[in-house]
Amino acid sequence: MKPQLYVAFGGQTTEHEVSIKSGYNILTNASRDKYGVFGFYISRVGEFLIFEMPENMLFEDFVNLLNNSKPKPQIQALAEDFKDTNNKIIFPIIHGQTGEDGKLQGFFDILGVPYVGSSVTASAVGMDKAVMRLVAKSLNIPMARDYSENLDNIEFPVFVKPRNGGSSVGASRAENKEELEKAISLAKQYDSKVLVEQLIVGREIEVCVLGSGSDLLLGAGEFARNPSFFDYHAKYLDESLKMQIPAIVPDSDMKIMEDYAVQVFNSIGASVLSRVDFFYTDKGEIYFNEINTLPGYTSMSMFPSLCEKMHKISQTELIDRLVELALEKNV
């Protein structure tokens, strides 16, 4: 019997729509020869819809399926549709809080089902930007100055963002104290704690990491963009954005970024896949920004695009590789 691959997407998160796009991309590219392919949709209120994914389904029809089906309460869905956990593997692609912060990973651990991506601890640490700053500091990796604990001596402009969040949701730039107050108020709509950091003007270089331990495949790309702020709309909804793969960076600086990415990845115990983001200034300065332990997986996302363009790994082959790594992790 073929293993059953369940792609978990949606979720109770501000990145619900992006997760649907990521889920659809994986579901349509997973090999039907190797797996039974199932959707594991989590609604905005936390109910489950588990279904076998029709082959060659258009995205519009996929969204209609979600909108016209009735999700079930968690206990009912698990009892009826997921009572046998043998021969199953989950590919979670729920971005943001409750999806990549360890909560969902802990739930799958309780179910006893192997899953793609990092463990509970690595996911939680990677998601908490303040904790990640402590990790990067311990590794002597440069970062933007943090004003969060002392707002009296700020050098503007600054960048304000929720402490736990992704895809730049709730993040904004502030040029003065009035804008700072508004930015903090906005960020607190998404998290009770916020970060206030020095604004680094530069290119955002995204280093993708595939693998575990010392067997890692690396590569870096970037999006052509306005360097002031790469917001949620630009990241996921602006289809005019152009990718540069590989990123055009001197070899010596690229080596530094890749070394930093590996240090961050391994220091928190990340595994299988991640995207580690850096700012790269016109002066050649490198600043660590964040690690994403479940990077975006839409047709416009850097991680699958980079694997395909740089390493000639097709979307279907990449899913196979991620599943293999997940199973190895759970041995």
PDB file of all heavy atoms in Angstrom, residues 4-9 22-23 26-27 30 38 40 89-94 104 108 113-117 272-273 294-295 297 303 315 318-320 322-323 326:
ATOM      1  N   GLN A   4       0.463   7.434   2.624  1.00  0.00           N
ATOM      2  CA  GLN A   4      -0.520   8.493   2.449  1.00  0.00           C
ATOM      3  C   GLN A   4       0.080   9.816   2.907  1.00  0.00           C
ATOM      4  O   GLN A   4       0.468   9.964   4.068  1.00  0.00           O
ATOM      5  CB  GLN A   4      -1.784   8.172   3.246  1.00  0.00           C
ATOM      6  CG  GLN A   4      -2.495   6.928   2.736  1.00  0.00           C
ATOM      7  CD  GLN A   4      -3.739   6.592   3.553  1.00  0.00           C
ATOM      8  OE1 GLN A   4      -3.791   6.840   4.759  1.00  0.00           O
ATOM      9  NE2 GLN A   4      -4.737   6.022   2.900  1.00  0.00           N
ATOM     10  N   LEU A   5       0.168  10.753   1.977  1.00  0.00           N
ATOM     11  CA  LEU A   5       0.741  12.069   2.250  1.00  0.00           C
ATOM     12  C   LEU A   5      -0.396  13.061   2.488  1.00  0.00           C
ATOM     13  O   LEU A   5      -1.243  13.279   1.615  1.00  0.00           O
ATOM     14  CB  LEU A   5       1.595  12.531   1.075  1.00  0.00           C
ATOM     15  CG  LEU A   5       2.208  13.935   1.187  1.00  0.00           C
ATOM     16  CD1 LEU A   5       3.182  14.017   2.354  1.00  0.00           C
ATOM     17  CD2 LEU A   5       2.895  14.324  -0.123  1.00  0.00           C
ATOM     18  N   TYR A   6      -0.417  13.647   3.685  1.00  0.00           N
ATOM     19  CA  TYR A   6      -1.422  14.633   4.059  1.00  0.00           C
ATOM     20  C   TYR A   6      -0.760  16.006   4.119  1.00  0.00           C
ATOM     21  O   TYR A   6       0.199  16.199   4.867  1.00  0.00           O
ATOM     22  CB  TYR A   6      -2.039  14.289   5.419  1.00  0.00           C
ATOM     23  CG  TYR A   6      -2.943  13.082   5.383  1.00  0.00           C
ATOM     24  CD1 TYR A   6      -2.414  11.790   5.367  1.00  0.00           C
ATOM     25  CD2 TYR A   6      -4.328  13.226   5.359  1.00  0.00           C
ATOM     26  CE1 TYR A   6      -3.242  10.677   5.317  1.00  0.00           C
ATOM     27  CE2 TYR A   6      -5.165  12.122   5.322  1.00  0.00           C
ATOM     28  CZ  TYR A   6      -4.613  10.848   5.299  1.00  0.00           C
ATOM     29  OH  TYR A   6      -5.434   9.748   5.249  1.00  0.00           O
ATOM     30  N   VAL A   7      -1.270  16.934   3.344  1.00  0.00           N
ATOM     31  CA  VAL A   7      -0.736  18.297   3.328  1.00  0.00           C
ATOM     32  C   VAL A   7      -1.633  19.160   4.202  1.00  0.00           C
ATOM     33  O   VAL A   7      -2.805  19.396   3.883  1.00  0.00           O
ATOM     34  CB  VAL A   7      -0.667  18.856   1.900  1.00  0.00           C
ATOM     35  CG1 VAL A   7      -0.105  20.286   1.922  1.00  0.00           C
ATOM     36  CG2 VAL A   7       0.186  17.952   1.015  1.00  0.00           C
ATOM     37  N   ALA A   8      -1.088  19.626   5.343  1.00  0.00           N
ATOM     38  CA  ALA A   8      -1.852  20.442   6.292  1.00  0.00           C
ATOM     39  C   ALA A   8      -1.689  21.916   5.923  1.00  0.00           C
ATOM     40  O   ALA A   8      -0.566  22.433   5.851  1.00  0.00           O
ATOM     41  CB  ALA A   8      -1.369  20.190   7.716  1.00  0.00           C
ATOM     42  N   PHE A   9      -2.803  22.595   5.707  1.00  0.00           N
ATOM     43  CA  PHE A   9      -2.747  23.993   5.269  1.00  0.00           C
ATOM     44  C   PHE A   9      -3.949  24.750   5.810  1.00  0.00           C
ATOM     45  O   PHE A   9      -4.873  24.171   6.386  1.00  0.00           O
ATOM     46  CB  PHE A   9      -2.707  24.068   3.737  1.00  0.00           C
ATOM     47  CG  PHE A   9      -3.954  23.551   3.070  1.00  0.00           C
ATOM     48  CD1 PHE A   9      -4.945  24.410   2.640  1.00  0.00           C
ATOM     49  CD2 PHE A   9      -4.142  22.190   2.876  1.00  0.00           C
ATOM     50  CE1 PHE A   9      -6.099  23.943   2.029  1.00  0.00           C
ATOM     51  CE2 PHE A   9      -5.290  21.704   2.257  1.00  0.00           C
ATOM     52  CZ  PHE A   9      -6.284  22.580   1.840  1.00  0.00           C
ATOM     53  N   SER A  22       0.123  27.680  -0.784  1.00  0.00           N
ATOM     54  CA  SER A  22       1.228  26.742  -0.582  1.00  0.00           C
ATOM     55  C   SER A  22       0.716  25.304  -0.588  1.00  0.00           C
ATOM     56  O   SER A  22       1.317  24.415  -1.211  1.00  0.00           O
ATOM     57  CB  SER A  22       1.936  27.039   0.746  1.00  0.00           C
ATOM     58  OG  SER A  22       2.660  28.248   0.693  1.00  0.00           O
ATOM     59  N   GLY A  23      -0.391  25.068   0.118  1.00  0.00           N
ATOM     60  CA  GLY A  23      -0.959  23.725   0.172  1.00  0.00           C
ATOM     61  C   GLY A  23      -1.346  23.218  -1.194  1.00  0.00           C
ATOM     62  O   GLY A  23      -1.053  22.064  -1.563  1.00  0.00           O
ATOM     63  N   ILE A  26       1.725  22.134  -3.287  1.00  0.00           N
ATOM     64  CA  ILE A  26       2.274  20.828  -2.899  1.00  0.00           C
ATOM     65  C   ILE A  26       1.344  19.703  -3.325  1.00  0.00           C
ATOM     66  O   ILE A  26       1.777  18.680  -3.881  1.00  0.00           O
ATOM     67  CB  ILE A  26       2.530  20.780  -1.383  1.00  0.00           C
ATOM     68  CG1 ILE A  26       3.585  21.814  -0.990  1.00  0.00           C
ATOM     69  CG2 ILE A  26       2.973  19.383  -0.938  1.00  0.00           C
ATOM     70  CD1 ILE A  26       3.670  22.084   0.494  1.00  0.00           C
ATOM     71  N   LEU A  27       0.047  19.878  -3.088  1.00  0.00           N
ATOM     72  CA  LEU A  27      -0.923  18.836  -3.427  1.00  0.00           C
ATOM     73  C   LEU A  27      -0.935  18.526  -4.915  1.00  0.00           C
ATOM     74  O   LEU A  27      -1.086  17.367  -5.322  1.00  0.00           O
ATOM     75  CB  LEU A  27      -2.322  19.269  -2.979  1.00  0.00           C
ATOM     76  CG  LEU A  27      -2.592  19.207  -1.470  1.00  0.00           C
ATOM     77  CD1 LEU A  27      -3.838  20.016  -1.109  1.00  0.00           C
ATOM     78  CD2 LEU A  27      -2.736  17.763  -1.006  1.00  0.00           C
ATOM     79  N   ALA A  30       2.656  16.686  -5.850  1.00  0.00           N
ATOM     80  CA  ALA A  30       3.033  15.420  -5.219  1.00  0.00           C
ATOM     81  C   ALA A  30       2.759  14.255  -6.170  1.00  0.00           C
ATOM     82  O   ALA A  30       1.758  14.238  -6.884  1.00  0.00           O
ATOM     83  CB  ALA A  30       2.259  15.234  -3.919  1.00  0.00           C
ATOM     84  N   PHE A  38      -3.616  13.613   0.076  1.00  0.00           N
ATOM     85  CA  PHE A  38      -4.779  14.096   0.802  1.00  0.00           C
ATOM     86  C   PHE A  38      -4.570  15.531   1.295  1.00  0.00           C
ATOM     87  O   PHE A  38      -3.470  15.905   1.702  1.00  0.00           O
ATOM     88  CB  PHE A  38      -5.058  13.208   2.027  1.00  0.00           C
ATOM     89  CG  PHE A  38      -5.458  11.798   1.674  1.00  0.00           C
ATOM     90  CD1 PHE A  38      -4.487  10.847   1.377  1.00  0.00           C
ATOM     91  CD2 PHE A  38      -6.789  11.430   1.630  1.00  0.00           C
ATOM     92  CE1 PHE A  38      -4.846   9.551   1.044  1.00  0.00           C
ATOM     93  CE2 PHE A  38      -7.153  10.135   1.308  1.00  0.00           C
ATOM     94  CZ  PHE A  38      -6.178   9.182   1.005  1.00  0.00           C
ATOM     95  N   PHE A  40      -5.407  18.304   4.177  1.00  0.00           N
ATOM     96  CA  PHE A  40      -5.735  18.361   5.610  1.00  0.00           C
ATOM     97  C   PHE A  40      -5.923  19.841   5.924  1.00  0.00           C
ATOM     98  O   PHE A  40      -5.031  20.509   6.425  1.00  0.00           O
ATOM     99  CB  PHE A  40      -4.577  17.756   6.400  1.00  0.00           C
ATOM    100  CG  PHE A  40      -4.843  17.518   7.865  1.00  0.00           C
ATOM    101  CD1 PHE A  40      -4.262  16.435   8.510  1.00  0.00           C
ATOM    102  CD2 PHE A  40      -5.636  18.363   8.620  1.00  0.00           C
ATOM    103  CE1 PHE A  40      -4.465  16.200   9.856  1.00  0.00           C
ATOM    104  CE2 PHE A  40      -5.860  18.157   9.956  1.00  0.00           C
ATOM    105  CZ  PHE A  40      -5.278  17.060  10.579  1.00  0.00           C
ATOM    106  N   ILE A  89       2.122  10.318   6.536  1.00  0.00           N
ATOM    107  CA  ILE A  89       3.091  11.377   6.799  1.00  0.00           C
ATOM    108  C   ILE A  89       2.414  12.708   6.513  1.00  0.00           C
ATOM    109  O   ILE A  89       1.589  12.800   5.593  1.00  0.00           O
ATOM    110  CB  ILE A  89       4.376  11.211   5.955  1.00  0.00           C
ATOM    111  CG1 ILE A  89       5.386  12.308   6.300  1.00  0.00           C
ATOM    112  CG2 ILE A  89       4.068  11.214   4.462  1.00  0.00           C
ATOM    113  CD1 ILE A  89       6.770  12.065   5.763  1.00  0.00           C
ATOM    114  N   ILE A  90       2.740  13.705   7.296  1.00  0.00           N
ATOM    115  CA  ILE A  90       2.109  15.021   7.155  1.00  0.00           C
ATOM    116  C   ILE A  90       3.138  16.048   6.666  1.00  0.00           C
ATOM    117  O   ILE A  90       4.262  16.097   7.154  1.00  0.00           O
ATOM    118  CB  ILE A  90       1.506  15.491   8.491  1.00  0.00           C
ATOM    119  CG1 ILE A  90       0.392  14.524   8.928  1.00  0.00           C
ATOM    120  CG2 ILE A  90       0.948  16.903   8.369  1.00  0.00           C
ATOM    121  CD1 ILE A  90      -0.194  14.838  10.274  1.00  0.00           C
ATOM    122  N   PHE A  91       2.721  16.830   5.700  1.00  0.00           N
ATOM    123  CA  PHE A  91       3.521  17.964   5.230  1.00  0.00           C
ATOM    124  C   PHE A  91       2.787  19.224   5.684  1.00  0.00           C
ATOM    125  O   PHE A  91       1.861  19.687   5.026  1.00  0.00           O
ATOM    126  CB  PHE A  91       3.633  17.928   3.707  1.00  0.00           C
ATOM    127  CG  PHE A  91       4.669  18.869   3.127  1.00  0.00           C
ATOM    128  CD1 PHE A  91       5.398  18.498   2.002  1.00  0.00           C
ATOM    129  CD2 PHE A  91       4.935  20.116   3.689  1.00  0.00           C
ATOM    130  CE1 PHE A  91       6.351  19.351   1.451  1.00  0.00           C
ATOM    131  CE2 PHE A  91       5.887  20.966   3.168  1.00  0.00           C
ATOM    132  CZ  PHE A  91       6.595  20.578   2.028  1.00  0.00           C
ATOM    133  N   PRO A  92       3.168  19.789   6.847  1.00  0.00           N
ATOM    134  CA  PRO A  92       2.495  21.009   7.313  1.00  0.00           C
ATOM    135  C   PRO A  92       3.027  22.229   6.577  1.00  0.00           C
ATOM    136  O   PRO A  92       4.237  22.404   6.443  1.00  0.00           O
ATOM    137  CB  PRO A  92       2.851  21.054   8.802  1.00  0.00           C
ATOM    138  CG  PRO A  92       4.161  20.341   8.900  1.00  0.00           C
ATOM    139  CD  PRO A  92       4.190  19.330   7.786  1.00  0.00           C
ATOM    140  N   ILE A  93       2.130  23.042   6.097  1.00  0.00           N
ATOM    141  CA  ILE A  93       2.557  24.259   5.409  1.00  0.00           C
ATOM    142  C   ILE A  93       1.664  25.420   5.845  1.00  0.00           C
ATOM    143  O   ILE A  93       1.221  26.244   5.046  1.00  0.00           O
ATOM    144  CB  ILE A  93       2.587  24.048   3.874  1.00  0.00           C
ATOM    145  CG1 ILE A  93       3.441  25.108   3.182  1.00  0.00           C
ATOM    146  CG2 ILE A  93       1.193  23.896   3.299  1.00  0.00           C
ATOM    147  CD1 ILE A  93       4.908  25.046   3.527  1.00  0.00           C
ATOM    148  N   ILE A  94       1.426  25.453   7.172  1.00  0.00           N
ATOM    149  CA  ILE A  94       0.660  26.535   7.785  1.00  0.00           C
ATOM    150  C   ILE A  94       1.653  27.557   8.323  1.00  0.00           C
ATOM    151  O   ILE A  94       2.428  27.265   9.229  1.00  0.00           O
ATOM    152  CB  ILE A  94      -0.257  26.006   8.897  1.00  0.00           C
ATOM    153  CG1 ILE A  94      -1.296  25.049   8.289  1.00  0.00           C
ATOM    154  CG2 ILE A  94      -0.936  27.150   9.639  1.00  0.00           C
ATOM    155  CD1 ILE A  94      -2.195  24.392   9.300  1.00  0.00           C
ATOM    156  N   LEU A 104       1.638  23.156  16.219  1.00  0.00           N
ATOM    157  CA  LEU A 104       1.153  22.124  15.307  1.00  0.00           C
ATOM    158  C   LEU A 104       2.091  20.916  15.311  1.00  0.00           C
ATOM    159  O   LEU A 104       1.645  19.763  15.272  1.00  0.00           O
ATOM    160  CB  LEU A 104       1.033  22.703  13.898  1.00  0.00           C
ATOM    161  CG  LEU A 104       0.199  21.906  12.899  1.00  0.00           C
ATOM    162  CD1 LEU A 104      -1.252  21.816  13.357  1.00  0.00           C
ATOM    163  CD2 LEU A 104       0.270  22.553  11.522  1.00  0.00           C
ATOM    164  N   PHE A 108       1.207  16.936  16.088  1.00  0.00           N
ATOM    165  CA  PHE A 108       1.528  15.775  15.260  1.00  0.00           C
ATOM    166  C   PHE A 108       2.383  14.765  16.021  1.00  0.00           C
ATOM    167  O   PHE A 108       2.263  13.547  15.812  1.00  0.00           O
ATOM    168  CB  PHE A 108       2.230  16.216  13.976  1.00  0.00           C
ATOM    169  CG  PHE A 108       1.362  17.049  13.068  1.00  0.00           C
ATOM    170  CD1 PHE A 108       1.909  18.062  12.298  1.00  0.00           C
ATOM    171  CD2 PHE A 108      -0.001  16.838  12.989  1.00  0.00           C
ATOM    172  CE1 PHE A 108       1.115  18.834  11.462  1.00  0.00           C
ATOM    173  CE2 PHE A 108      -0.810  17.601  12.154  1.00  0.00           C
ATOM    174  CZ  PHE A 108      -0.248  18.609  11.387  1.00  0.00           C
ATOM    175  N   VAL A 113       2.586  10.817  14.208  1.00  0.00           N
ATOM    176  CA  VAL A 113       2.716  10.809  12.756  1.00  0.00           C
ATOM    177  C   VAL A 113       3.952  11.613  12.349  1.00  0.00           C
ATOM    178  O   VAL A 113       4.113  12.754  12.783  1.00  0.00           O
ATOM    179  CB  VAL A 113       1.463  11.417  12.088  1.00  0.00           C
ATOM    180  CG1 VAL A 113       1.586  11.359  10.567  1.00  0.00           C
ATOM    181  CG2 VAL A 113       0.212  10.687  12.540  1.00  0.00           C
ATOM    182  N   PRO A 114       4.839  11.055  11.526  1.00  0.00           N
ATOM    183  CA  PRO A 114       6.004  11.829  11.062  1.00  0.00           C
ATOM    184  C   PRO A 114       5.564  13.010  10.201  1.00  0.00           C
ATOM    185  O   PRO A 114       4.537  12.941   9.514  1.00  0.00           O
ATOM    186  CB  PRO A 114       6.809  10.815  10.250  1.00  0.00           C
ATOM    187  CG  PRO A 114       5.838   9.746   9.882  1.00  0.00           C
ATOM    188  CD  PRO A 114       4.828   9.693  10.968  1.00  0.00           C
ATOM    189  N   TYR A 115       6.345  14.088  10.253  1.00  0.00           N
ATOM    190  CA  TYR A 115       5.977  15.299   9.515  1.00  0.00           C
ATOM    191  C   TYR A 115       7.209  15.977   8.948  1.00  0.00           C
ATOM    192  O   TYR A 115       8.321  15.857   9.476  1.00  0.00           O
ATOM    193  CB  TYR A 115       5.198  16.268  10.401  1.00  0.00           C
ATOM    194  CG  TYR A 115       5.878  16.647  11.694  1.00  0.00           C
ATOM    195  CD1 TYR A 115       6.756  17.728  11.769  1.00  0.00           C
ATOM    196  CD2 TYR A 115       5.653  15.914  12.859  1.00  0.00           C
ATOM    197  CE1 TYR A 115       7.381  18.068  12.955  1.00  0.00           C
ATOM    198  CE2 TYR A 115       6.269  16.237  14.046  1.00  0.00           C
ATOM    199  CZ  TYR A 115       7.132  17.319  14.094  1.00  0.00           C
ATOM    200  OH  TYR A 115       7.756  17.645  15.282  1.00  0.00           O
ATOM    201  N   VAL A 116       7.006  16.685   7.860  1.00  0.00           N
ATOM    202  CA  VAL A 116       8.061  17.455   7.214  1.00  0.00           C
ATOM    203  C   VAL A 116       8.369  18.686   8.059  1.00  0.00           C
ATOM    204  O   VAL A 116       7.460  19.362   8.542  1.00  0.00           O
ATOM    205  CB  VAL A 116       7.631  17.876   5.797  1.00  0.00           C
ATOM    206  CG1 VAL A 116       8.642  18.858   5.187  1.00  0.00           C
ATOM    207  CG2 VAL A 116       7.459  16.660   4.896  1.00  0.00           C
ATOM    208  N   GLY A 117       9.656  18.994   8.222  1.00  0.00           N
ATOM    209  CA  GLY A 117      10.042  20.218   8.905  1.00  0.00           C
ATOM    210  C   GLY A 117      10.676  19.977  10.257  1.00  0.00           C
ATOM    211  O   GLY A 117      10.920  18.845  10.666  1.00  0.00           O
ATOM    212  N   VAL A 272      15.383  19.478   7.800  1.00  0.00           N
ATOM    213  CA  VAL A 272      14.640  19.251   6.552  1.00  0.00           C
ATOM    214  C   VAL A 272      14.656  20.476   5.634  1.00  0.00           C
ATOM    215  O   VAL A 272      15.159  20.408   4.518  1.00  0.00           O
ATOM    216  CB  VAL A 272      13.193  18.768   6.798  1.00  0.00           C
ATOM    217  CG1 VAL A 272      12.506  18.444   5.462  1.00  0.00           C
ATOM    218  CG2 VAL A 272      13.173  17.531   7.699  1.00  0.00           C
ATOM    219  N   LEU A 273      14.075  21.592   6.055  1.00  0.00           N
ATOM    220  CA  LEU A 273      14.055  22.775   5.191  1.00  0.00           C
ATOM    221  C   LEU A 273      13.952  24.041   6.027  1.00  0.00           C
ATOM    222  O   LEU A 273      13.378  24.033   7.109  1.00  0.00           O
ATOM    223  CB  LEU A 273      12.890  22.731   4.203  1.00  0.00           C
ATOM    224  CG  LEU A 273      11.476  23.065   4.702  1.00  0.00           C
ATOM    225  CD1 LEU A 273      10.549  23.323   3.502  1.00  0.00           C
ATOM    226  CD2 LEU A 273      10.893  22.001   5.594  1.00  0.00           C
ATOM    227  N   LEU A 294       9.430  26.973   8.176  1.00  0.00           N
ATOM    228  CA  LEU A 294       8.464  26.495   7.172  1.00  0.00           C
ATOM    229  C   LEU A 294       8.290  27.602   6.133  1.00  0.00           C
ATOM    230  O   LEU A 294       7.306  28.342   6.158  1.00  0.00           O
ATOM    231  CB  LEU A 294       7.112  26.148   7.802  1.00  0.00           C
ATOM    232  CG  LEU A 294       6.937  24.748   8.363  1.00  0.00           C
ATOM    233  CD1 LEU A 294       5.513  24.567   8.879  1.00  0.00           C
ATOM    234  CD2 LEU A 294       7.249  23.672   7.329  1.00  0.00           C
ATOM    235  N   PRO A 295       9.248  27.737   5.223  1.00  0.00           N
ATOM    236  CA  PRO A 295       9.183  28.840   4.258  1.00  0.00           C
ATOM    237  C   PRO A 295       8.002  28.689   3.309  1.00  0.00           C
ATOM    238  O   PRO A 295       7.467  27.598   3.111  1.00  0.00           O
ATOM    239  CB  PRO A 295      10.513  28.729   3.513  1.00  0.00           C
ATOM    240  CG  PRO A 295      10.945  27.311   3.688  1.00  0.00           C
ATOM    241  CD  PRO A 295      10.438  26.901   5.030  1.00  0.00           C
ATOM    242  N   TYR A 297       5.639  28.220   0.158  1.00  0.00           N
ATOM    243  CA  TYR A 297       5.739  27.153  -0.834  1.00  0.00           C
ATOM    244  C   TYR A 297       4.754  27.378  -1.977  1.00  0.00           C
ATOM    245  O   TYR A 297       4.271  26.439  -2.599  1.00  0.00           O
ATOM    246  CB  TYR A 297       5.490  25.789  -0.171  1.00  0.00           C
ATOM    247  CG  TYR A 297       6.300  24.664  -0.761  1.00  0.00           C
ATOM    248  CD1 TYR A 297       7.422  24.169  -0.113  1.00  0.00           C
ATOM    249  CD2 TYR A 297       5.948  24.091  -1.975  1.00  0.00           C
ATOM    250  CE1 TYR A 297       8.161  23.124  -0.643  1.00  0.00           C
ATOM    251  CE2 TYR A 297       6.683  23.062  -2.519  1.00  0.00           C
ATOM    252  CZ  TYR A 297       7.778  22.580  -1.851  1.00  0.00           C
ATOM    253  OH  TYR A 297       8.516  21.545  -2.398  1.00  0.00           O
ATOM    254  N   PHE A 303      11.873  29.204  -1.869  1.00  0.00           N
ATOM    255  CA  PHE A 303      12.455  27.891  -1.580  1.00  0.00           C
ATOM    256  C   PHE A 303      12.262  26.890  -2.717  1.00  0.00           C
ATOM    257  O   PHE A 303      13.251  26.352  -3.242  1.00  0.00           O
ATOM    258  CB  PHE A 303      11.905  27.333  -0.262  1.00  0.00           C
ATOM    259  CG  PHE A 303      12.542  26.034   0.143  1.00  0.00           C
ATOM    260  CD1 PHE A 303      13.719  26.013   0.882  1.00  0.00           C
ATOM    261  CD2 PHE A 303      11.991  24.821  -0.241  1.00  0.00           C
ATOM    262  CE1 PHE A 303      14.325  24.821   1.231  1.00  0.00           C
ATOM    263  CE2 PHE A 303      12.584  23.626   0.098  1.00  0.00           C
ATOM    264  CZ  PHE A 303      13.757  23.619   0.843  1.00  0.00           C
ATOM    265  N   GLN A 315       9.680  20.185  -8.770  1.00  0.00           N
ATOM    266  CA  GLN A 315       8.744  20.297  -7.642  1.00  0.00           C
ATOM    267  C   GLN A 315       8.393  18.918  -7.097  1.00  0.00           C
ATOM    268  O   GLN A 315       8.370  18.707  -5.883  1.00  0.00           O
ATOM    269  CB  GLN A 315       7.464  21.007  -8.112  1.00  0.00           C
ATOM    270  CG  GLN A 315       7.675  22.444  -8.545  1.00  0.00           C
ATOM    271  CD  GLN A 315       7.316  23.439  -7.451  1.00  0.00           C
ATOM    272  OE1 GLN A 315       6.885  23.078  -6.371  1.00  0.00           O
ATOM    273  NE2 GLN A 315       7.498  24.702  -7.734  1.00  0.00           N
ATOM    274  N   LEU A 318      11.364  17.425  -5.308  1.00  0.00           N
ATOM    275  CA  LEU A 318      11.622  18.109  -4.037  1.00  0.00           C
ATOM    276  C   LEU A 318      10.687  17.586  -2.946  1.00  0.00           C
ATOM    277  O   LEU A 318      11.118  17.359  -1.812  1.00  0.00           O
ATOM    278  CB  LEU A 318      11.449  19.620  -4.208  1.00  0.00           C
ATOM    279  CG  LEU A 318      11.682  20.480  -2.965  1.00  0.00           C
ATOM    280  CD1 LEU A 318      13.080  20.251  -2.389  1.00  0.00           C
ATOM    281  CD2 LEU A 318      11.472  21.963  -3.283  1.00  0.00           C
ATOM    282  N   ILE A 319       9.422  17.392  -3.280  1.00  0.00           N
ATOM    283  CA  ILE A 319       8.489  16.833  -2.304  1.00  0.00           C
ATOM    284  C   ILE A 319       8.952  15.451  -1.857  1.00  0.00           C
ATOM    285  O   ILE A 319       8.936  15.123  -0.667  1.00  0.00           O
ATOM    286  CB  ILE A 319       7.070  16.787  -2.887  1.00  0.00           C
ATOM    287  CG1 ILE A 319       6.547  18.213  -3.092  1.00  0.00           C
ATOM    288  CG2 ILE A 319       6.118  16.003  -1.968  1.00  0.00           C
ATOM    289  CD1 ILE A 319       5.298  18.306  -3.938  1.00  0.00           C
ATOM    290  N   ASP A 320       9.410  14.631  -2.807  1.00  0.00           N
ATOM    291  CA  ASP A 320       9.932  13.307  -2.466  1.00  0.00           C
ATOM    292  C   ASP A 320      11.100  13.420  -1.493  1.00  0.00           C
ATOM    293  O   ASP A 320      11.182  12.669  -0.512  1.00  0.00           O
ATOM    294  CB  ASP A 320      10.405  12.563  -3.724  1.00  0.00           C
ATOM    295  CG  ASP A 320       9.257  12.146  -4.629  1.00  0.00           C
ATOM    296  OD1 ASP A 320       8.109  12.153  -4.167  1.00  0.00           O
ATOM    297  OD2 ASP A 320       9.529  11.807  -5.797  1.00  0.00           O
ATOM    298  N   LEU A 322      11.839  15.905   0.559  1.00  0.00           N
ATOM    299  CA  LEU A 322      11.387  16.403   1.856  1.00  0.00           C
ATOM    300  C   LEU A 322      10.722  15.293   2.664  1.00  0.00           C
ATOM    301  O   LEU A 322      10.919  15.195   3.882  1.00  0.00           O
ATOM    302  CB  LEU A 322      10.429  17.573   1.665  1.00  0.00           C
ATOM    303  CG  LEU A 322      11.046  18.848   1.070  1.00  0.00           C
ATOM    304  CD1 LEU A 322       9.967  19.847   0.707  1.00  0.00           C
ATOM    305  CD2 LEU A 322      12.052  19.472   2.027  1.00  0.00           C
ATOM    306  N   VAL A 323       9.954  14.454   2.003  1.00  0.00           N
ATOM    307  CA  VAL A 323       9.318  13.327   2.684  1.00  0.00           C
ATOM    308  C   VAL A 323      10.381  12.349   3.183  1.00  0.00           C
ATOM    309  O   VAL A 323      10.310  11.858   4.313  1.00  0.00           O
ATOM    310  CB  VAL A 323       8.312  12.629   1.740  1.00  0.00           C
ATOM    311  CG1 VAL A 323       7.849  11.287   2.339  1.00  0.00           C
ATOM    312  CG2 VAL A 323       7.104  13.526   1.496  1.00  0.00           C
ATOM    313  N   ALA A 326      12.017  13.743   6.203  1.00  0.00           N
ATOM    314  CA  ALA A 326      11.112  13.679   7.362  1.00  0.00           C
ATOM    315  C   ALA A 326      11.089  12.287   7.954  1.00  0.00           C
ATOM    316  O   ALA A 326      11.093  12.122   9.186  1.00  0.00           O
ATOM    317  CB  ALA A 326       9.708  14.109   6.939  1.00  0.00           C
TER     318      ALA A 326
END
